[in-house]
Amino acid sequence: MKSHLVGIGGVGMSALAEFLSDRGEEITGSDRFLDHHTAVASLACLRARGIRLYPQDGSGVQDDTDRVLVSTAIEADNPDLTMAKKRGIPVVHRARALAEGLSRQKLIAVAGTCGKSSTTAILGHLFEVAGASPTVVNGAPCINWISPMRTGAVLSGTGEYCIAEVDESDRSLLDFEPEAAILLNVSADHFPLAESNALFERFLSQVKGVVVDGRKLPPPENVRAGDWSVSFTLDGQELTLPIPGLHNAWNAAAACRLAKELGISACCLPEALASFRGVSRRLELVGTSPLGYRAVDDYAHNTEKIRACLRTLQARAARVLAIWRPHGYQPLRAMWGDLKTMFGQTLRRTDRLLVLPIFDAGGTTRRDISSKDFVAELAKEGCSAEYAETPECARDRARAWAEGGDILVTLGARDPGLPGLCRSLL
């Protein structure tokens, strides 16, 4: 089987490419970042594995291509899709290809509006340390699994279970019929709350066995914050995760509950959690400057994720300096009011926010709003927010403000330049 992945550099598509390559498929791919000569870590990793990469001009879809795999983000007039139609090659959604590939093992699916990637990585790490040899396909790299030829989003195992993050944004979670599942939480993000709840309930009806439903569980007990960790009690057992945040205590507790339900011994949990190194761009502590301020990189891009990130950092610093890039015109338009209220409620008088231009991934989206407009709205809420025209401008302002004890954080999805921007703050 030879599969061509359109948008192969994205977090979901690069993980799928690695997973299918592990299963013996021949993989090719294209990406707009290649067209723009943008350095992307996932593309470098896939290229190191021998996967052939093409510009997104149709040239990668060839006579011997068996299928073309796409995500919902790929528009109908994409040159690769035009070529697939011309050659009569079937086009398959990434979720269906993943569901088919995972069908050899018992699937554990992790769903919810927030926390899926972290929980999937924690759960996979618990199974791995316990010797269960799981296969894992995640929406973000687990730092424990990263190597020059591994993105970190995929773990290739031989055990009976596979673990995967499933996505509600395009309803593709309904393509999966898991053996067991975690539903972490439900909030308004891609859909209104009532519609989101209905979608997740339909998903849960497809689960054959155990469900851990975070909406119905008591919180972990005795939660205690360390400098860069969180400890809690679960079923009388003391556990510590070397990643901060109350929300991560919830994520870890959900993973531990399901692991025990599926036969992972409780005695394995303390060691496994203690050796978990986190998920890339999920409260990732990038480093500490000689002046004594810390730089953190986080994928937070919707209202609840940004709130959780900021509150976690505020508990560890008297001042947080945040650089945020809205990840698209439509998402910002949809969350405009909620984001404005959230920033107004969450940012302290000591904190400062720099807002970069909206990330533009191309396509035909309406471009009738701007970050500058949003900053003007934040000013009405009394927020200390400024518009930064370029990443370099944001870097220079943040470094000029920063003092020992501060935390500087980069926030946002999609933009592959944000991790580098975070490193440059040091």
Side-chain angles (χ1 to χ4, degrees), residues 280-359:
S280 179
R281 304 211 62 229
R282 297 330 188 257
L283 284 173
E284 182 180 357
L285 181 58
V286 173
T288 302
S289 80
L291 295 178
Y293 62 81
R294 290 185 280 192
V296 173
D297 190 25
D298 197 274
Y299 194 73
H301 56 280
N302 68 25
T303 307
E304 293 306 317
K305 292 174 182 177
I306 296 173
R307 188 199 314 272
C309 176
L310 290 176
R311 286 184 170 167
T312 298
L313 300 180
Q314 286 167 338
R316 288 159 176 81
R319 189 169 68 154
V320 173
L321 309 178
I323 301 172
W324 170 53
R325 181 156 210 177
H327 68 288
Y329 288 89
Q330 178 54 32
L332 180 58
R333 187 181 295 111
M335 295 185 286
W336 187 282
D338 289 340
L339 284 166
K340 184 177 72 170
T341 300
M342 180 275 298
F343 280 120
Q345 293 173 343
T346 307
L347 291 173
R348 304 167 299 186
R349 284 180 294 178
T350 55
D351 299 328
R352 303 185 79 162
L353 174 68
L354 289 163
V355 184
L356 289 165
I358 299 168
F359 183 69

Side-chain angles (χ1 to χ4, degrees), residues 220-236:
E221 298 177 351
N222 195 25
V223 178
R224 305 171 308 284
D227 177 55
W228 207 255
S229 66
V230 63
S231 300
F232 59 95
T233 304
L234 184 67
D235 299 330

Side-chain angles (χ1 to χ4, degrees), residues 322-324 326 353-357 371 374-375 378 385-389:
I323 301 172
W324 170 53
L353 174 68
L354 289 163
V355 184
L356 289 165
S371 293
F374 188 76
V375 168
L378 288 179
E386 296 181 24
Y387 175 67
E389 293 184 0

Side-chain angles (χ1 to χ4, degrees), residues 31-33 36 56 73-75 325-329 358-365 367 413-416:
D31 202 281
R32 284 175 177 163
F33 289 129
H36 302 147
Q56 212 163 88
I74 303 304
E75 296 178 317
R325 181 156 210 177
H327 68 288
Y329 288 89
I358 299 168
F359 183 69
D360 193 335
T364 58
T365 187
R367 294 169 173 82
R414 292 187 181 170
D415 182 359

Side-chain angles (χ1 to χ4, degrees), residues 207-222:
V207 181
K208 302 170 188 173
V210 178
V211 171
V212 171
D213 189 340
R215 300 171 299 173
K216 301 175 182 179
L217 292 174
E221 298 177 351
N222 195 25

Side-chain angles (χ1 to χ4, degrees), residues 127-199:
F127 271 68
E128 182 187 26
V129 172
S133 189
T135 294
V136 184
V137 182
N138 200 10
C142 176
I143 294 172
N144 294 72
W145 305 334
I146 294 174
S147 72
M149 294 182 62
R150 308 292 304 188
T151 65
V154 176
L155 186 66
S156 186
T158 58
E160 66 174 323
Y161 286 108
C162 54
I163 302 167
E165 172 184 342
V166 295
D167 186 17
E168 80 282 1
S169 67
D170 56 3
R171 304 179 186 274
S172 62
L173 79 171
L174 299 178
D175 288 325
F176 300 86
E177 296 185 357
E179 187 72 25
I182 295 173
L183 175 59
L184 291 162
N185 45 61
V186 179
S187 61
D189 184 1
H190 304 285
F191 310 105
L193 184 58
E195 190 175 345
S196 293
N197 269 309
L199 175 62

